[in-house]
Amino acid sequence: MGHLRGLVAGACACALLLSACSSTGNGSSAPPGSSSASPKGVTLRFAAINQSGGYPTPYGAIRAGVQMTTFIFDTLAFPDSTGQPKPWLAKSWQVSADGKTWTFQLHKATWQDGKPLTSADVVFSFNYDLHGPGATTGAAEVAVQGLSYIKSVTAKGPEAVVIKLKSPDAAFLDDIAGEYGVFIIPQHIWSHVTNPAHFQGPQALIGSGPYRLKSFDPTTYTYDFVANNNFYLGRPVVQQVQIVPESNPLLALQRGQLSEASTGNGVVPQSLFRALSTHFKLLTAPGEFNEALFFNLAAGFPYNQTAFRQAVAYAINRQAMVKLLASGRGVPGSAGGLGPDNPYLDSNLPAYAYDPAKAAALLDQIGLKRPKGASFRVNPNGSPLTIGLLTASADDQVAVLVQQYLRAVGLNVAITAVDQPTSDSADAAGHYKMAIVHFGGLGGDPSLLVQRFDSNFKGNSFVHVHGYANPAFNTLAAEQATTVSLAKRHQLVDQMQAILANDVPELPLYFPEQVSWVNTKVFKAWAYTPGCPACGVGMNKRMLVTGSAAPVPAGGPSV
C-alpha cells in the first residue's frame, strides 16, 4: 500500500521544473474539426534549474527528473488532462468482477532499436521491479514500494498481460500508471543488468516512448529530446523538447526567448504579473506542491508530544507565509495532509489558525517553561532547549520564517541547511528532529497518505514521517485500500485525515497556487494535469504527442 504516483516527482514541480517555454514551430495547420489542436512540427523549450534530476532511466532518475524518464519509457496507462489514467501502452483493459484480475491488451509497439515489444517485456518489467534488481533503486523503487498486493503478472499471448492481485485495490491503476508507475523496459537489454542504478549509455536509453534522448548534461540539468516518429500512437506533434538553462524564465518569456513560464515557488512583483498577463495567456490551478514541516517522533521529547506539535502549528502564521513567499497566491495546508483541490479533502478539520497565546499555553502544559526575563524556554529539568530544524538550502526562506515564528513563543530553533540530495537522504533515514520538506502530487489518490504516515510502511522515502505510529490510522489505511465503494472510501479517508489533524505528525505549511503564462500562437495544448505537478502546463507527454489537451473520450476500457 504505497501508492506513490505523482508524490515524489511533484516534490520539485515548483522548485525545479515548472518554469518552461516553447520556441517557434512550423508545420501544417490543426487537423480538421480540431481548432484547439497545435500545429505539427513544434519545438518546445523548457527552462531548467541547476539541480540534477538524475539519469533519465527508471533506475537513475530522482525527483522531477522522473518526468524526463516518461518521455523515453512508457507505462501501461498514462493520465490525460483530467489526471485520470487512460490507455497508453495498453490500448484497453478489463477487470474481473471481484476486482482481483486485470487483463491488459497491448498496442503493437516496437522498441526504439526496432525490436518488437511484447507481453514478455511487460511481465519481465514487473518482475524486475517487484522481485529483481529494480526493486531497490531509483523511480522503480518508489513505484513498487506499494505494490506488494500484486500476486502475479503473466503473459496471455504476445499482446496481452494478466495481473492478479491478492486483494482488490482501489488505487491499482494509479499505482502502475503515470510518472511514478511501473515503466516497461526491454527484456533483451535489461535482463543482463544487475546494477540498474549505474547502467547508462545508449542501450540504457532505449524505450518505447514518444521521444529519444539526443543529449544530456547532468551538470546543468539540460536535456534535448527528439521525436520517435515510429511511436505506436503516431508521429508526435511536438518534434523536439529541449530543457535548457535559464536563470529567469519570466524575464526570458518577456524577451521572446521562451513561450511558457511559471511563477514556480517564488514571489512575482505585481507589475510583472500584470505585464505577463497582458501579453500571454494566464493559466492557474490549485496547488498540489507543498512546503511541510515534519516532526520526527522517534527523536523523543518534545517532538513525541502531541501538545508540542499542536503548539508549533498554532505558533506559525501560515497565512502570512502565503503572502510573503507566494505573493498571496496560495493557501495554508490542511492538517489532514491532502491538497486544496483533492476530491477527498475534508474541509471540516482543525485549521490551526495563528494563535501564539494558545501555542504558549500548550508549551507550558508539557513543562517547557520560559524563565522570567529569558528569551527561550527550557526543558522541564531546567536544561537549555534547542529545537533542530533541517532544511534544503532551496527552502531556507521557509525555514527562517518558521524559526522566527517559533522564537516568538520562546523556542530556540537551530537551522541546519544542506543541499537537496543530502536533505532527501536525511529525511528518508530519519536523521532530523524537525525538517522542512517540499513535495507534490497532493491532488492525487488519497492512498498517498499511507506511505507518509502508516507505521507499517517498509519503503525508504523522504516523505515518510519517522516515529509516527497510530494503530487506528493504520487500520483505516488498510481498509480504504481495498474499498471500491467511493462513498465508503470517502468516509474512511475522512477518518484518516481527522486522526492526522489531531496528531499533527506533519504540518503542511502552505500550497502555492500553480501559475503559468503561455504563448498559444506556437502550441495550444497547455494545461495542468491534476495529480502530476511535475507535468506543469506543457510536459504531459500525452499532450505533446497529440497536440491537444482534450480529455480522452468516454467509452474507453472497461474498469
Side-chain angles (χ1 to χ4, degrees):
M1 295 179 297
H3 315 294
L4 308 187
R5 185 178 73 86
L7 182 62
V8 182
C12 293
C14 290
L16 300 183
L17 194 55
L18 287 190
S19 294
C21 61
S22 70
S23 68
T24 57
N26 52 65
S28 65
S29 59
S34 181
S35 60
S36 62
S38 299
K40 295 180 180 179
V42 174
T43 293
L44 299 182
R45 301 179 69 241
F46 293 79
I49 304 262
N50 292 333
Q51 182 165 339
S52 175
Y55 196 75
T57 71
Y59 312 98
I62 57 175
R63 281 187 168 258
V66 179
Q67 191 67 27
M68 307 300 103
T69 305
T70 67
F71 293 165
I72 305 170
F73 296 90
D74 287 326
T75 48
L76 292 175
F78 198 79
D80 68 358
S81 59
T82 69
Q84 297 301 308
K86 297 295 173 66
W88 193 251
L89 181 57
K91 62 183 178 182
S92 65
W93 53 80
Q94 292 182 323
V95 60
S96 61
D98 64 4
K100 295 195 292 185
T101 301
W102 292 70
T103 303
F104 294 87
Q105 298 293 329
L106 305 179
H107 280 285
K108 284 186 176 294
T110 58
W111 297 107
Q112 292 171 0
D113 62 2
K115 296 183 183 298
L117 187 159
T118 71
S119 57
D121 292 297
V122 178
V123 173
F124 169 80
S125 299
F126 272 85
N127 288 331
Y128 190 84
D129 288 357
L130 289 168
H131 312 298
T136 58
T137 184
E141 178 186 7
V142 175
V144 303
Q145 282 174 359
L147 292 176
S148 60
Y149 57 82
I150 290 182
K151 182 179 181 180
S152 65
V153 183
T154 57
K156 186 179 180 182
E159 296 177 6
V161 174
V162 178
I163 301 179
K164 292 188 176 182
L165 312 182
K166 299 172 186 176
S167 60
D169 195 278
F172 169 65
L173 203 56
D174 291 84
D175 285 349
I176 65 169
E179 61 185 349
Y180 268 87
V182 176
F183 289 108
I184 308 306
I185 56 176
Q187 181 178 9
H188 65 277
I189 294 175
W190 290 89
S191 60
H192 306 293
V193 179
T194 58
N195 191 354
H198 294 91
F199 182 43
Q200 298 185 4
Q203 289 288 297
L205 297 170
I206 292 174
S208 61
Y211 295 96
R212 307 170 187 264
L213 184 63
K214 181 180 178 181
S215 63
F216 169 54
D217 184 347
T219 63
T220 58
Y221 196 47
T222 301
Y223 301 80
D224 189 358
F225 294 94
V226 293
N228 169 20
N229 287 326
N230 293 320
F231 184 53
Y232 53 88
L233 293 178
R235 180 185 175 97
V237 168
V238 175
Q239 285 284 293
Q240 189 170 20
V241 178
Q242 296 179 330
I243 297 167
V244 299
E246 180 54 66
S247 59
N248 194 323
L250 296 180
L251 292 180
L253 174 63
Q254 280 193 313
R255 293 193 298 264
Q257 297 172 335
L258 307 177
S259 298
E260 188 273 345
S262 165
T263 59
N265 190 27
V267 175
V268 179
Q270 191 60 33
S271 58
L272 179 57
F273 192 97
R274 286 195 299 266
L276 290 169
S277 301
T278 298
H279 298 287
F280 302 95
K281 183 176 181 179
L282 172 66
L283 297 178
T284 63
E288 295 194 31
F289 164 94
N290 83 143
E291 295 275 359
L293 178 63
F294 279 33
F295 299 91
N296 185 352
L297 281 71
F301 185 88
Y303 311 100
N304 61 359
Q305 300 294 302
T306 301
F308 172 77
R309 300 191 300 274
Q310 291 178 342
V312 170
Y314 283 117
I316 298 173
N317 191 338
R318 295 183 294 142
Q319 189 64 62
M321 293 182 82
V322 172
K323 184 176 182 180
L324 291 169
L325 299 176
S327 301
R329 300 181 183 94
V331 294
S334 166
L338 295 180
D341 202 41
N342 193 300
Y344 282 85
L345 177 67
D346 184 350
S347 59
N348 298 312
L349 300 174
Y352 291 102
Y354 181 53
D355 191 338
K358 194 165 187 175
L362 285 167
L363 293 172
D364 288 340
Q365 176 184 309
I366 58 173
L368 297 180
K369 304 287 188 178
R370 178 186 284 183
K372 187 175 182 180
S375 298
F376 298 115
R377 295 175 182 271
V378 297
N379 283 302
N381 63 5
S383 63
L385 172 66
T386 300
I387 304 298
L389 180 61
L390 176 72
T391 184
S393 299
D395 298 322
D396 57 359
Q397 287 183 298
V398 179
V400 168
L401 280 177
V402 169
Q403 180 188 52
Q404 292 174 352
Y405 287 129
L406 296 187
R407 181 187 296 269
V409 296
L411 293 176
N412 182 23
V413 175
I415 296 175
T416 300
V418 296
D419 60 50
Q420 193 66 62
T422 301
S423 175
D424 288 350
S425 296
D427 294 338
H431 296 160
Y432 63 91
K433 303 293 180 62
M434 298 194 315
I436 302 295
V437 185
H438 65 253
F439 57 97
L442 298 181
D445 190 272
S447 54
L448 56 87
L449 294 174
V450 176
Q451 176 245 358
R452 292 160 60 198
F453 303 109
D454 191 335
S455 58
N456 295 318
F457 178 74
K458 302 302 182 183
N460 180 36
S461 171
F462 69 84
V463 295
H464 179 70
V465 175
H466 284 264
Y468 179 63
N470 187 311
F473 179 89
N474 294 354
T475 299
L476 290 165
E479 186 177 355
Q480 66 82 32
T482 59
T483 299
V484 294
S485 165
L486 186 61
K488 176 62 175 175
R489 194 167 184 235
H490 266 280
Q491 293 175 3
L492 296 171
V493 175
D494 282 351
Q495 294 176 58
M496 292 166 65
Q497 292 176 80
I499 290 173
L500 295 174
N502 177 75
D503 293 350
V504 200
E506 169 210 308
L507 179 65
L509 296 172
Y510 71 98
F511 285 77
E513 183 182 33
Q514 299 180 83
V515 178
S516 292
W517 292 270
V518 300
N519 186 336
T520 57
K521 294 179 181 179
V522 174
F523 189 63
K524 298 183 183 298
W526 305 109
Y528 284 107
T529 303
C532 182
C535 291
V537 293
M539 294 191 71
N540 180 323
K541 67 179 176 182
R542 184 184 292 274
M543 302 175 195
L544 299 179
V545 169
T546 64
S548 172
V552 173
S558 172
V559 292

